[in-house]
Amino acid sequence: MGKQAGAHIVWDWNGTLFHDNDAIIGATNAAFVELGLEPITLERYRALYCVPVPKFYERLLGRLPTDAEWQVMDEVFHRYYAEHRVRCGLTAGAAELLAGWRSAGRSQSLLSMYVHDELVPLVRGFGIEPYFLRVDGRTGPSGGSKAEHMVRHLETLTGVDAERTVVIGDAADDAVAALHVGARAVLYTGGSHSRASLEGVGVPVVDTLQEAVETAERLAA
C-alpha cells in the first residue's frame, strides 16, 4: 500500500459522495408501512434521524421497535433501497474533488455503514474506486455506530496519521466516529441531517463538498 504523507480524508458514502436521499426516504417509508406509520417527509427525516437507527424509530413510535419489528423493517428498508438506488448518482462535483485531492498527492479512503459486498461494486461502477486507498463497508449487523468500524478502518491504512485525518460525512455519527479515533470531522448538510442537528455536534458544518474539502485541508494542515 505504501506510506502516505500529509492529510488524509475518510469519506462517507450514503448522503455524502452518493446522493441517495430519494431512495433513503422511499425505503424508510416502505419500512414504516410495516408498523402502520404515516409517511415521513425529507425535512422531518433530516430533523429526527439519528444513530443507532432503532433510536430514530423510537422518536417516531414513542418506543423502541421490538426485535421482530426491527428485523422486518430492516429487511424491507434494504430491499426497497436496493431496488431504487439505481436511479441515484454521485453528488455533483464529487468525482472531480476526489481526483483533485489525489492529484495533489494526498490520500483518501471510504468507510460506509452500507453492506460491504454491495458497496464495493457500486463504487466500482462509478469509476472512482482507484481514488481510494481502501473501500470498507459494513460486515456486521445493521443499526450500530460507525466508531468501532473507524478504528478498524484506520488500523489498516499504512502511514495514515489520525491527527491529520479528516472524516467528511453527512451525519452526527460521522463526527462521533472521527473523535473516537482522534481525527477531525467536517459535516455536509446535503444528506441525512438538518443543519441545525449537525451544528449541535460542535464540528465545522458546510453546504457543499467543495467547502468540505477546503475545510479538511485547513484542519489537517
Side-chain angles (χ1 to χ4, degrees):
M1 193 175 291
K3 185 173 179 61
Q4 303 298 319
H8 180 82
I9 290 175
V10 178
W11 290 94
D12 173 56
W13 179 244
N14 302 98
T16 304
L17 289 175
F18 190 45
H19 188 65
D20 60 349
N21 288 349
D22 289 345
I24 290 286
I25 294 301
T28 299
N29 283 329
F32 283 1
V33 168
E34 299 299 319
L35 292 190
L37 291 173
E38 292 295 316
I40 191 171
T41 64
L42 175 60
E43 289 73 24
R44 182 163 168 76
Y45 177 93
R46 296 175 79 240
L48 295 178
Y49 181 75
C50 63
V51 173
V53 178
K55 294 289 291 182
F56 168 54
Y57 290 133
E58 182 182 27
R59 291 180 173 184
L60 296 161
L61 284 170
R63 62 174 176 82
L64 281 170
T66 66
D67 289 345
E69 287 171 336
W70 166 249
Q71 184 173 352
V72 170
M73 294 173 74
D74 193 48
E75 191 277 328
V76 169
F77 177 94
H78 285 97
R79 184 175 69 241
Y80 182 101
Y81 179 83
E83 292 171 357
H84 290 79
R85 73 180 185 202
V86 295
R87 294 198 290 270
C88 302
L90 295 178
T91 300
E96 293 79 7
L97 289 169
L98 294 172
W101 187 262
R102 189 181 69 166
S103 295
R106 305 183 185 102
S107 62
Q108 56 200 328
S109 57
L110 175 59
L111 175 63
S112 173
M113 295 298 281
Y114 190 51
V115 181
H116 181 79
D117 289 343
E118 297 182 34
L119 173 69
V120 172
L122 187 56
V123 172
R124 190 171 293 153
F126 284 111
I128 59 173
E129 186 183 22
Y131 296 139
F132 303 113
L133 296 180
R134 185 177 181 91
V135 174
D136 281 331
R138 175 176 52 80
T139 55
S142 64
S145 172
K146 206 174 200 176
E148 292 307 318
H149 296 269
M150 186 67 71
V151 172
R152 292 191 293 271
H153 181 73
L154 288 187
E155 284 176 347
T156 66
L157 299 177
T158 303
V160 170
D161 184 352
E163 292 183 356
R164 298 203 65 196
T165 294
V166 179
V167 176
I168 297 178
D170 68 314
D173 192 51
D174 292 304
V176 171
L179 297 174
H180 184 69
V181 296
R184 309 287 186 88
V186 180
L187 297 180
Y188 163 61
T189 62
S192 62
H193 281 41
S194 66
R195 171 174 275 277
S197 62
L198 293 178
E199 287 179 338
V201 180
V203 302
V205 177
V206 299
D207 295 320
T208 69
L209 293 188
Q210 176 71 48
E211 292 175 272
V213 170
E214 292 170 355
T215 303
E217 187 171 7
R218 290 196 298 271
L219 290 175

